[in-house]
Structures are given as structure tokens and as C-alpha cells.
Amino acid sequence: MTLEEAIATQPLWVQVWVNILFLGAFVLPLALLIWKPSRIAGLVTVAASILAGGGVYWIYGQLGYVRLLGLPHILFWTPLIFWLRHQQARPDMPVWPRRIILTVCAVIVVSLAFDYADAVRYLLGERQPF
């Protein structure tokens, strides 16, 4: 079973959330490429998301659909959030990129809340695929 097929077996809210996450962490940051002051933020965010996504696929291939799938998000997105907030506060950052960065951060923080909780549950012994 592929990761996409495994996600399709989850409740509807999980499937909807995965789509929101994809839009917020992979697609929306591409809009930051429009403005020169936010281009690096867009590139770094997309790169971190691609690396995190690759890590998720790798863990899925090794362990299956387990609670540890969020670990790559934790590793790549936790520092990204702090860096993006710094970028957002730059005085030369236009208004729309600030709003986009805030939206991207909000989506990633919600994802990280799930990821941290799942990683703790995995470390506490919930290792069966779900």
C-alpha cells in the first residue's frame, strides 16, 4: 500500500488536513517568490517541506503508517518556524508576503502540534500502524 492509499483509509478530516497541509507548506510558499524580499523565505520553506516530505516517505517505507511519520516535520519545520517569524519581521518585507508567511506558519504550527503529540505517543510505546 502506498502512503497516499494509507491516507485514503483515514477519517475524512485527516484527508482534508493533508490537503490543507500540502497547500500551506508546499504551494503557498511559492507565492513568496513574487517579491524580491521574500524569495529566500519561499525557497527555504519549499526546500524544508520537500526534505520533510521525503523523510515522511522514507519512514513510511521503513516502518509503515506509524505515529513517527511526523518526525521529519519536527526536524525541518521547527527551526523553519523561528526563521520565518524573523523573516516576517524584517522592515523591508512587504505586507502581502508578511501575511503569506503568517499563514504558512499557522499551517505548519498546527501540523507540528499533531506531529509532536504523535512522536511522543510513539516513544511511549504506540508503535502499531494506525
Side-chain angles (χ1 to χ4, degrees):
M1 175 182 319
T2 67
L3 179 58
E4 290 79 14
E5 292 168 339
I7 292 169
T9 67
Q10 296 300 303
L12 181 59
W13 75 267
V14 173
Q15 296 173 47
V16 169
W17 172 247
V18 169
N19 286 315
I20 292 169
L21 180 60
F22 178 76
L23 290 172
F26 291 90
V27 178
L28 188 57
L30 294 173
L32 295 171
L33 301 178
I34 295 170
W35 298 273
K36 190 173 184 177
S38 64
R39 286 185 184 145
I40 298 296
L43 291 172
V44 169
T45 302
V46 170
S49 294
I50 288 171
L51 290 169
V56 169
Y57 276 93
W58 184 81
I59 290 174
Y60 178 77
Q62 300 300 309
L63 303 174
Y65 198 73
V66 295
R67 294 196 180 280
L68 199 58
L69 286 180
L71 182 61
H73 294 157
I74 292 169
L75 296 176
F76 290 102
W77 285 346
T78 300
L80 177 68
I81 287 297
F82 292 100
W83 184 79
L84 282 176
R85 294 295 290 167
H86 177 72
Q87 295 302 303
Q88 183 189 29
R90 286 179 26 203
D92 65 329
M93 191 65 69
V95 171
W96 275 103
R98 287 176 191 255
R99 291 174 180 164
I100 292 168
I101 290 170
L102 181 63
T103 304
V104 168
C105 285
V107 170
I108 289 175
V109 164
V110 170
S111 178
L112 285 173
F114 290 120
D115 295 333
Y116 274 99
D118 280 347
V120 167
R121 289 172 70 175
Y122 183 86
L123 292 173
L124 292 175
E126 289 187 41
R127 300 202 171 156
Q128 71 282 2
F130 60 103

